[in-house]
PDB file of all heavy atoms in Angstrom:
ATOM      1  N   SER A 705     119.400 -39.673 117.439  1.00 80.00           N
ATOM      2  CA  SER A 705     119.412 -40.325 118.622  1.00 80.00           C
ATOM      3  C   SER A 705     120.639 -41.231 118.832  1.00 80.00           C
ATOM      4  O   SER A 705     120.780 -41.859 119.873  1.00 80.00           O
ATOM      5  CB  SER A 705     118.177 -41.221 118.690  1.00 80.00           C
ATOM      6  OG  SER A 705     118.161 -42.314 117.720  1.00 80.00           O
ATOM      7  N   THR A 706     121.494 -41.264 117.818  1.00 88.00           N
ATOM      8  CA  THR A 706     122.694 -42.160 117.877  1.00 88.00           C
ATOM      9  C   THR A 706     123.807 -41.526 118.685  1.00 88.00           C
ATOM     10  O   THR A 706     124.205 -40.398 118.430  1.00 88.00           O
ATOM     11  CB  THR A 706     123.239 -42.436 116.498  1.00 88.00           C
ATOM     12  OG1 THR A 706     122.243 -43.144 115.661  1.00 88.00           O
ATOM     13  CG2 THR A 706     124.411 -43.331 116.468  1.00 88.00           C
ATOM     14  N   ARG A 707     124.241 -42.201 119.751  1.00 91.00           N
ATOM     15  CA  ARG A 707     125.272 -41.607 120.670  1.00 91.00           C
ATOM     16  C   ARG A 707     126.632 -42.256 120.389  1.00 91.00           C
ATOM     17  O   ARG A 707     127.699 -41.668 120.705  1.00 91.00           O
ATOM     18  CB  ARG A 707     124.935 -41.834 122.093  1.00 91.00           C
ATOM     19  CG  ARG A 707     123.655 -41.067 122.550  1.00 91.00           C
ATOM     20  CD  ARG A 707     123.297 -41.427 123.973  1.00 91.00           C
ATOM     21  NE  ARG A 707     122.141 -40.799 124.359  1.00 91.00           N
ATOM     22  CZ  ARG A 707     121.656 -40.819 125.595  1.00 91.00           C
ATOM     23  NH1 ARG A 707     122.259 -41.533 126.511  1.00 91.00           N
ATOM     24  NH2 ARG A 707     120.479 -40.203 125.882  1.00 91.00           N
ATOM     25  N   LEU A 708     126.607 -43.486 119.823  1.00 93.00           N
ATOM     26  CA  LEU A 708     127.841 -44.250 119.609  1.00 93.00           C
ATOM     27  C   LEU A 708     127.741 -45.035 118.292  1.00 93.00           C
ATOM     28  O   LEU A 708     126.727 -45.685 118.037  1.00 93.00           O
ATOM     29  CB  LEU A 708     128.089 -45.189 120.796  1.00 93.00           C
ATOM     30  CG  LEU A 708     129.244 -46.194 120.753  1.00 93.00           C
ATOM     31  CD1 LEU A 708     130.532 -45.415 120.959  1.00 93.00           C
ATOM     32  CD2 LEU A 708     129.053 -47.231 121.852  1.00 93.00           C
ATOM     33  N   MET A 709     128.849 -45.022 117.591  1.00 94.00           N
ATOM     34  CA  MET A 709     128.931 -45.847 116.355  1.00 94.00           C
ATOM     35  C   MET A 709     130.215 -46.542 116.326  1.00 94.00           C
ATOM     36  O   MET A 709     131.242 -45.980 116.790  1.00 94.00           O
ATOM     37  CB  MET A 709     128.737 -44.974 115.152  1.00 94.00           C
ATOM     38  CG  MET A 709     127.357 -44.284 114.991  1.00 94.00           C
ATOM     39  SD  MET A 709     127.041 -43.367 113.450  1.00 94.00           S
ATOM     40  CE  MET A 709     127.005 -44.777 112.240  1.00 94.00           C
ATOM     41  N   GLY A 710     130.249 -47.694 115.604  1.00 96.00           N
ATOM     42  CA  GLY A 710     131.441 -48.448 115.646  1.00 96.00           C
ATOM     43  C   GLY A 710     131.541 -49.410 114.496  1.00 96.00           C
ATOM     44  O   GLY A 710     130.549 -49.609 113.765  1.00 96.00           O
ATOM     45  N   TRP A 711     132.654 -50.151 114.519  1.00 98.00           N
ATOM     46  CA  TRP A 711     132.916 -51.118 113.513  1.00 98.00           C
ATOM     47  C   TRP A 711     133.221 -52.471 114.182  1.00 98.00           C
ATOM     48  O   TRP A 711     133.946 -52.483 115.140  1.00 98.00           O
ATOM     49  CB  TRP A 711     134.036 -50.776 112.586  1.00 98.00           C
ATOM     50  CG  TRP A 711     133.748 -49.675 111.577  1.00 98.00           C
ATOM     51  CD1 TRP A 711     133.940 -48.328 111.751  1.00 98.00           C
ATOM     52  CD2 TRP A 711     133.116 -49.813 110.291  1.00 98.00           C
ATOM     53  NE1 TRP A 711     133.525 -47.616 110.659  1.00 98.00           N
ATOM     54  CE2 TRP A 711     133.066 -48.548 109.775  1.00 98.00           C
ATOM     55  CE3 TRP A 711     132.633 -50.905 109.486  1.00 98.00           C
ATOM     56  CZ2 TRP A 711     132.473 -48.322 108.500  1.00 98.00           C
ATOM     57  CZ3 TRP A 711     132.126 -50.693 108.318  1.00 98.00           C
ATOM     58  CH2 TRP A 711     131.983 -49.406 107.816  1.00 98.00           C
ATOM     59  N   PHE A 712     132.591 -53.553 113.739  1.00 98.00           N
ATOM     60  CA  PHE A 712     132.973 -54.885 114.139  1.00 98.00           C
ATOM     61  C   PHE A 712     133.319 -55.776 112.968  1.00 98.00           C
ATOM     62  O   PHE A 712     133.005 -55.361 111.773  1.00 98.00           O
ATOM     63  CB  PHE A 712     131.717 -55.511 114.846  1.00 98.00           C
ATOM     64  CG  PHE A 712     131.437 -54.855 116.097  1.00 98.00           C
ATOM     65  CD1 PHE A 712     130.791 -53.620 116.211  1.00 98.00           C
ATOM     66  CD2 PHE A 712     131.730 -55.430 117.361  1.00 98.00           C
ATOM     67  CE1 PHE A 712     130.463 -52.908 117.361  1.00 98.00           C
ATOM     68  CE2 PHE A 712     131.451 -54.818 118.566  1.00 98.00           C
ATOM     69  CZ  PHE A 712     130.780 -53.572 118.578  1.00 98.00           C
ATOM     70  N   ARG A 713     133.882 -56.892 113.163  1.00 98.00           N
ATOM     71  CA  ARG A 713     134.137 -57.800 112.105  1.00 98.00           C
ATOM     72  C   ARG A 713     133.991 -59.212 112.459  1.00 98.00           C
ATOM     73  O   ARG A 713     134.097 -59.573 113.640  1.00 98.00           O
ATOM     74  CB  ARG A 713     135.532 -57.575 111.547  1.00 98.00           C
ATOM     75  CG  ARG A 713     136.647 -57.997 112.451  1.00 98.00           C
ATOM     76  CD  ARG A 713     138.003 -57.706 111.810  1.00 98.00           C
ATOM     77  NE  ARG A 713     139.178 -58.183 112.668  1.00 98.00           N
ATOM     78  CZ  ARG A 713     140.424 -57.958 112.342  1.00 98.00           C
ATOM     79  NH1 ARG A 713     140.809 -57.222 111.252  1.00 98.00           N
ATOM     80  NH2 ARG A 713     141.388 -58.473 113.195  1.00 98.00           N
ATOM     81  N   GLN A 714     133.701 -60.093 111.582  1.00 98.00           N
ATOM     82  CA  GLN A 714     133.505 -61.535 111.806  1.00 98.00           C
ATOM     83  C   GLN A 714     134.085 -62.372 110.710  1.00 98.00           C
ATOM     84  O   GLN A 714     133.627 -62.247 109.543  1.00 98.00           O
ATOM     85  CB  GLN A 714     132.014 -61.877 112.061  1.00 98.00           C
ATOM     86  CG  GLN A 714     131.753 -63.270 112.508  1.00 98.00           C
ATOM     87  CD  GLN A 714     130.352 -63.499 112.933  1.00 98.00           C
ATOM     88  OE1 GLN A 714     129.441 -62.784 112.501  1.00 98.00           O
ATOM     89  NE2 GLN A 714     130.112 -64.405 113.850  1.00 98.00           N
ATOM     90  N   ALA A 715     135.079 -63.222 111.053  1.00 97.00           N
ATOM     91  CA  ALA A 715     135.657 -64.149 110.118  1.00 97.00           C
ATOM     92  C   ALA A 715     134.957 -65.446 110.254  1.00 97.00           C
ATOM     93  O   ALA A 715     134.287 -65.754 111.300  1.00 97.00           O
ATOM     94  CB  ALA A 715     137.173 -64.258 110.447  1.00 97.00           C
ATOM     95  N   PRO A 716     134.926 -66.306 109.199  1.00 92.00           N
ATOM     96  CA  PRO A 716     134.251 -67.589 109.219  1.00 92.00           C
ATOM     97  C   PRO A 716     134.777 -68.426 110.392  1.00 92.00           C
ATOM     98  O   PRO A 716     135.970 -68.597 110.668  1.00 92.00           O
ATOM     99  CB  PRO A 716     134.698 -68.241 107.875  1.00 92.00           C
ATOM    100  CG  PRO A 716     134.953 -67.085 106.979  1.00 92.00           C
ATOM    101  CD  PRO A 716     135.576 -66.022 107.892  1.00 92.00           C
ATOM    102  N   GLY A 717     133.818 -68.970 111.153  1.00 94.00           N
ATOM    103  CA  GLY A 717     134.093 -69.769 112.302  1.00 94.00           C
ATOM    104  C   GLY A 717     134.537 -69.131 113.558  1.00 94.00           C
ATOM    105  O   GLY A 717     134.862 -69.724 114.517  1.00 94.00           O
ATOM    106  N   LYS A 718     134.551 -67.735 113.489  1.00 96.00           N
ATOM    107  CA  LYS A 718     134.944 -66.998 114.704  1.00 96.00           C
ATOM    108  C   LYS A 718     133.909 -66.065 115.107  1.00 96.00           C
ATOM    109  O   LYS A 718     132.903 -65.814 114.465  1.00 96.00           O
ATOM    110  CB  LYS A 718     136.179 -66.099 114.280  1.00 96.00           C
ATOM    111  CG  LYS A 718     137.429 -66.950 113.970  1.00 96.00           C
ATOM    112  CD  LYS A 718     138.661 -66.071 113.710  1.00 96.00           C
ATOM    113  CE  LYS A 718     139.888 -66.822 113.463  1.00 96.00           C
ATOM    114  NZ  LYS A 718     141.062 -65.910 113.200  1.00 96.00           N
ATOM    115  N   ASP A 719     133.974 -65.687 116.397  1.00 97.00           N
ATOM    116  CA  ASP A 719     133.021 -64.734 116.989  1.00 97.00           C
ATOM    117  C   ASP A 719     133.224 -63.319 116.383  1.00 97.00           C
ATOM    118  O   ASP A 719     134.266 -62.970 115.929  1.00 97.00           O
ATOM    119  CB  ASP A 719     133.146 -64.593 118.519  1.00 97.00           C
ATOM    120  CG  ASP A 719     132.774 -65.930 119.215  1.00 97.00           C
ATOM    121  OD1 ASP A 719     131.997 -66.684 118.686  1.00 97.00           O
ATOM    122  OD2 ASP A 719     133.353 -66.196 120.292  1.00 97.00           O
ATOM    123  N   ARG A 720     132.050 -62.582 116.453  1.00 97.00           N
ATOM    124  CA  ARG A 720     132.212 -61.194 115.970  1.00 97.00           C
ATOM    125  C   ARG A 720     133.087 -60.386 116.998  1.00 97.00           C
ATOM    126  O   ARG A 720     132.872 -60.588 118.233  1.00 97.00           O
ATOM    127  CB  ARG A 720     130.828 -60.605 115.919  1.00 97.00           C
ATOM    128  CG  ARG A 720     130.800 -59.171 115.364  1.00 97.00           C
ATOM    129  CD  ARG A 720     129.388 -58.696 115.110  1.00 97.00           C
ATOM    130  NE  ARG A 720     128.773 -59.462 114.089  1.00 97.00           N
ATOM    131  CZ  ARG A 720     127.514 -59.259 113.575  1.00 97.00           C
ATOM    132  NH1 ARG A 720     126.830 -58.236 114.030  1.00 97.00           N
ATOM    133  NH2 ARG A 720     127.018 -60.077 112.617  1.00 97.00           N
ATOM    134  N   GLU A 721     134.002 -59.583 116.514  1.00 97.00           N
ATOM    135  CA  GLU A 721     134.943 -58.889 117.358  1.00 97.00           C
ATOM    136  C   GLU A 721     134.867 -57.389 117.128  1.00 97.00           C
ATOM    137  O   GLU A 721     134.596 -56.939 116.020  1.00 97.00           O
ATOM    138  CB  GLU A 721     136.325 -59.432 117.269  1.00 97.00           C
ATOM    139  CG  GLU A 721     136.949 -59.162 115.843  1.00 97.00           C
ATOM    140  CD  GLU A 721     138.367 -59.600 115.763  1.00 97.00           C
ATOM    141  OE1 GLU A 721     139.084 -59.671 116.807  1.00 97.00           O
ATOM    142  OE2 GLU A 721     138.890 -59.855 114.616  1.00 97.00           O
ATOM    143  N   PHE A 722     135.148 -56.681 118.176  1.00 97.00           N
ATOM    144  CA  PHE A 722     135.207 -55.198 118.102  1.00 97.00           C
ATOM    145  C   PHE A 722     136.487 -54.731 117.326  1.00 97.00           C
ATOM    146  O   PHE A 722     137.554 -55.190 117.530  1.00 97.00           O
ATOM    147  CB  PHE A 722     135.177 -54.647 119.518  1.00 97.00           C
ATOM    148  CG  PHE A 722     135.557 -53.173 119.613  1.00 97.00           C
ATOM    149  CD1 PHE A 722     134.460 -52.297 119.301  1.00 97.00           C
ATOM    150  CD2 PHE A 722     136.693 -52.685 120.016  1.00 97.00           C
ATOM    151  CE1 PHE A 722     134.696 -50.852 119.339  1.00 97.00           C
ATOM    152  CE2 PHE A 722     136.941 -51.387 120.064  1.00 97.00           C
ATOM    153  CZ  PHE A 722     135.960 -50.429 119.743  1.00 97.00           C
ATOM    154  N   VAL A 723     136.223 -53.746 116.502  1.00 98.00           N
ATOM    155  CA  VAL A 723     137.223 -53.079 115.714  1.00 98.00           C
ATOM    156  C   VAL A 723     137.615 -51.734 116.208  1.00 98.00           C
ATOM    157  O   VAL A 723     138.748 -51.372 116.609  1.00 98.00           O
ATOM    158  CB  VAL A 723     136.968 -53.129 114.256  1.00 98.00           C
ATOM    159  CG1 VAL A 723     138.040 -52.326 113.431  1.00 98.00           C
ATOM    160  CG2 VAL A 723     136.837 -54.514 113.695  1.00 98.00           C
ATOM    161  N   ALA A 724     136.631 -50.829 116.133  1.00 98.00           N
ATOM    162  CA  ALA A 724     136.736 -49.412 116.560  1.00 98.00           C
ATOM    163  C   ALA A 724     135.397 -48.787 116.738  1.00 98.00           C
ATOM    164  O   ALA A 724     134.432 -49.344 116.258  1.00 98.00           O
ATOM    165  CB  ALA A 724     137.617 -48.677 115.523  1.00 98.00           C
ATOM    166  N   SER A 725     135.438 -47.672 117.487  1.00 96.00           N
ATOM    167  CA  SER A 725     134.169 -46.988 117.694  1.00 96.00           C
ATOM    168  C   SER A 725     134.480 -45.492 117.948  1.00 96.00           C
ATOM    169  O   SER A 725     135.616 -45.038 118.236  1.00 96.00           O
ATOM    170  CB  SER A 725     133.441 -47.572 118.897  1.00 96.00           C
ATOM    171  OG  SER A 725     134.115 -47.290 120.126  1.00 96.00           O
ATOM    172  N   ILE A 726     133.363 -44.709 117.936  1.00 94.00           N
ATOM    173  CA  ILE A 726     133.572 -43.260 118.170  1.00 94.00           C
ATOM    174  C   ILE A 726     132.254 -42.845 119.042  1.00 94.00           C
ATOM    175  O   ILE A 726     131.208 -43.168 118.674  1.00 94.00           O
ATOM    176  CB  ILE A 726     133.640 -42.369 116.872  1.00 94.00           C
ATOM    177  CG1 ILE A 726     133.793 -40.929 117.281  1.00 94.00           C
ATOM    178  CG2 ILE A 726     132.489 -42.633 115.922  1.00 94.00           C
ATOM    179  CD1 ILE A 726     134.207 -40.112 115.969  1.00 94.00           C
ATOM    180  N   LYS A 727     132.560 -42.170 120.139  1.00 93.00           N
ATOM    181  CA  LYS A 727     131.550 -41.654 121.010  1.00 93.00           C
ATOM    182  C   LYS A 727     131.349 -40.181 120.644  1.00 93.00           C
ATOM    183  O   LYS A 727     132.209 -39.315 120.877  1.00 93.00           O
ATOM    184  CB  LYS A 727     131.863 -41.784 122.408  1.00 93.00           C
ATOM    185  CG  LYS A 727     130.699 -41.416 123.414  1.00 93.00           C
ATOM    186  CD  LYS A 727     131.062 -41.849 124.854  1.00 93.00           C
ATOM    187  CE  LYS A 727     131.093 -43.378 124.965  1.00 93.00           C
ATOM    188  NZ  LYS A 727     131.210 -43.754 126.377  1.00 93.00           N
ATOM    189  N   TRP A 728     130.162 -39.821 120.124  1.00 88.00           N
ATOM    190  CA  TRP A 728     129.987 -38.504 119.589  1.00 88.00           C
ATOM    191  C   TRP A 728     130.067 -37.404 120.582  1.00 88.00           C
ATOM    192  O   TRP A 728     130.626 -36.361 120.340  1.00 88.00           O
ATOM    193  CB  TRP A 728     128.620 -38.399 118.832  1.00 88.00           C
ATOM    194  CG  TRP A 728     128.491 -39.419 117.692  1.00 88.00           C
ATOM    195  CD1 TRP A 728     127.597 -40.379 117.550  1.00 88.00           C
ATOM    196  CD2 TRP A 728     129.276 -39.358 116.391  1.00 88.00           C
ATOM    197  NE1 TRP A 728     127.742 -41.007 116.320  1.00 88.00           N
ATOM    198  CE2 TRP A 728     128.803 -40.363 115.679  1.00 88.00           C
ATOM    199  CE3 TRP A 728     130.236 -38.571 116.021  1.00 88.00           C
ATOM    200  CZ2 TRP A 728     129.345 -40.691 114.425  1.00 88.00           C
ATOM    201  CZ3 TRP A 728     130.765 -38.789 114.779  1.00 88.00           C
ATOM    202  CH2 TRP A 728     130.316 -39.818 113.931  1.00 88.00           C
ATOM    203  N   SER A 729     129.466 -37.600 121.754  1.00 86.00           N
ATOM    204  CA  SER A 729     129.386 -36.521 122.736  1.00 86.00           C
ATOM    205  C   SER A 729     130.678 -35.951 123.278  1.00 86.00           C
ATOM    206  O   SER A 729     130.838 -34.798 123.548  1.00 86.00           O
ATOM    207  CB  SER A 729     128.522 -37.009 123.900  1.00 86.00           C
ATOM    208  OG  SER A 729     129.212 -38.045 124.600  1.00 86.00           O
ATOM    209  N   ILE A 730     131.743 -36.771 123.229  1.00 88.00           N
ATOM    210  CA  ILE A 730     133.026 -36.393 123.752  1.00 88.00           C
ATOM    211  C   ILE A 730     134.091 -36.505 122.605  1.00 88.00           C
ATOM    212  O   ILE A 730     135.319 -36.350 122.854  1.00 88.00           O
ATOM    213  CB  ILE A 730     133.503 -37.182 124.959  1.00 88.00           C
ATOM    214  CG1 ILE A 730     133.554 -38.734 124.660  1.00 88.00           C
ATOM    215  CG2 ILE A 730     132.640 -36.854 126.155  1.00 88.00           C
ATOM    216  CD1 ILE A 730     134.093 -39.510 125.765  1.00 88.00           C
ATOM    217  N   ALA A 731     133.658 -36.893 121.429  1.00 84.00           N
ATOM    218  CA  ALA A 731     134.502 -37.009 120.207  1.00 84.00           C
ATOM    219  C   ALA A 731     135.709 -37.889 120.543  1.00 84.00           C
ATOM    220  O   ALA A 731     136.848 -37.587 120.094  1.00 84.00           O
ATOM    221  CB  ALA A 731     134.946 -35.627 119.737  1.00 84.00           C
ATOM    222  N   LYS A 732     135.467 -39.000 121.174  1.00 93.00           N
ATOM    223  CA  LYS A 732     136.530 -39.870 121.544  1.00 93.00           C
ATOM    224  C   LYS A 732     136.406 -41.206 120.691  1.00 93.00           C
ATOM    225  O   LYS A 732     135.388 -41.711 120.495  1.00 93.00           O
ATOM    226  CB  LYS A 732     136.513 -40.238 122.994  1.00 93.00           C
ATOM    227  CG  LYS A 732     137.574 -41.061 123.493  1.00 93.00           C
ATOM    228  CD  LYS A 732     137.569 -41.287 124.983  1.00 93.00           C
ATOM    229  CE  LYS A 732     138.725 -42.126 125.523  1.00 93.00           C
ATOM    230  NZ  LYS A 732     140.025 -41.596 125.191  1.00 93.00           N
ATOM    231  N   THR A 733     137.590 -41.692 120.224  1.00 96.00           N
ATOM    232  CA  THR A 733     137.600 -42.924 119.574  1.00 96.00           C
ATOM    233  C   THR A 733     138.236 -43.996 120.320  1.00 96.00           C
ATOM    234  O   THR A 733     139.051 -43.772 121.200  1.00 96.00           O
ATOM    235  CB  THR A 733     138.397 -42.725 118.224  1.00 96.00           C
ATOM    236  OG1 THR A 733     139.743 -42.253 118.486  1.00 96.00           O
ATOM    237  CG2 THR A 733     137.751 -41.667 117.323  1.00 96.00           C
ATOM    238  N   TYR A 734     137.901 -45.221 119.956  1.00 96.00           N
ATOM    239  CA  TYR A 734     138.358 -46.407 120.669  1.00 96.00           C
ATOM    240  C   TYR A 734     138.865 -47.507 119.620  1.00 96.00           C
ATOM    241  O   TYR A 734     138.188 -47.579 118.606  1.00 96.00           O
ATOM    242  CB  TYR A 734     137.246 -47.003 121.602  1.00 96.00           C
ATOM    243  CG  TYR A 734     136.655 -46.080 122.571  1.00 96.00           C
ATOM    244  CD1 TYR A 734     135.660 -45.218 122.204  1.00 96.00           C
ATOM    245  CD2 TYR A 734     137.178 -45.988 123.897  1.00 96.00           C
ATOM    246  CE1 TYR A 734     135.138 -44.323 123.043  1.00 96.00           C
ATOM    247  CE2 TYR A 734     136.623 -45.084 124.791  1.00 96.00           C
ATOM    248  CZ  TYR A 734     135.648 -44.262 124.369  1.00 96.00           C
ATOM    249  OH  TYR A 734     135.140 -43.367 125.273  1.00 96.00           O
ATOM    250  N   TYR A 735     139.782 -48.179 119.927  1.00 97.00           N
ATOM    251  CA  TYR A 735     140.312 -49.252 119.047  1.00 97.00           C
ATOM    252  C   TYR A 735     140.597 -50.502 119.752  1.00 97.00           C
ATOM    253  O   TYR A 735     141.027 -50.499 120.931  1.00 97.00           O
ATOM    254  CB  TYR A 735     141.592 -48.794 118.368  1.00 97.00           C
ATOM    255  CG  TYR A 735     141.331 -47.510 117.439  1.00 97.00           C
ATOM    256  CD1 TYR A 735     141.564 -46.260 117.967  1.00 97.00           C
ATOM    257  CD2 TYR A 735     141.056 -47.697 116.138  1.00 97.00           C
ATOM    258  CE1 TYR A 735     141.469 -45.144 117.175  1.00 97.00           C
ATOM    259  CE2 TYR A 735     140.852 -46.542 115.345  1.00 97.00           C
ATOM    260  CZ  TYR A 735     141.066 -45.276 115.886  1.00 97.00           C
ATOM    261  OH  TYR A 735     140.944 -44.210 115.046  1.00 97.00           O
ATOM    262  N   ALA A 736     140.436 -51.621 119.059  1.00 97.00           N
ATOM    263  CA  ALA A 736     140.964 -52.948 119.542  1.00 97.00           C
ATOM    264  C   ALA A 736     142.541 -52.774 119.586  1.00 97.00           C
ATOM    265  O   ALA A 736     143.120 -52.223 118.648  1.00 97.00           O
ATOM    266  CB  ALA A 736     140.594 -54.023 118.607  1.00 97.00           C
ATOM    267  N   ASP A 737     143.124 -53.264 120.713  1.00 96.00           N
ATOM    268  CA  ASP A 737     144.573 -53.062 120.872  1.00 96.00           C
ATOM    269  C   ASP A 737     145.351 -53.656 119.651  1.00 96.00           C
ATOM    270  O   ASP A 737     146.365 -53.059 119.267  1.00 96.00           O
ATOM    271  CB  ASP A 737     145.026 -53.782 122.101  1.00 96.00           C
ATOM    272  CG  ASP A 737     144.549 -52.997 123.384  1.00 96.00           C
ATOM    273  OD1 ASP A 737     144.225 -51.830 123.296  1.00 96.00           O
ATOM    274  OD2 ASP A 737     144.552 -53.675 124.428  1.00 96.00           O
ATOM    275  N   SER A 738     144.963 -54.717 119.118  1.00 93.00           N
ATOM    276  CA  SER A 738     145.690 -55.408 118.102  1.00 93.00           C
ATOM    277  C   SER A 738     145.648 -54.571 116.789  1.00 93.00           C
ATOM    278  O   SER A 738     146.435 -54.824 115.853  1.00 93.00           O
ATOM    279  CB  SER A 738     145.174 -56.838 117.796  1.00 93.00           C
ATOM    280  OG  SER A 738     143.870 -56.756 117.369  1.00 93.00           O
TER     281      SER A 738
END
């Protein structure tokens, strides 16, 4: 049932931020610009 999977990270004192993801149906990857 999983359509999307990704990675996030959180440093002490900071908000959780997006790192990268992959959308299975179209085999497309996404990344944080930095």
Side-chain angles (χ1 to χ4, degrees):
S705 65
T706 302
R707 298 180 181 180
L708 176 71
M709 295 185 70
W711 290 94
F712 293 76
R713 68 183 186 183
Q714 187 169 27
K718 296 184 178 180
D719 294 332
R720 184 171 297 183
E721 64 176 335
F722 171 76
V723 174
S725 66
I726 181 167
K727 186 171 290 186
W728 299 116
S729 63
I730 57 175
K732 185 173 178 62
T733 57
Y734 305 84
Y735 296 92
D737 288 341
S738 63

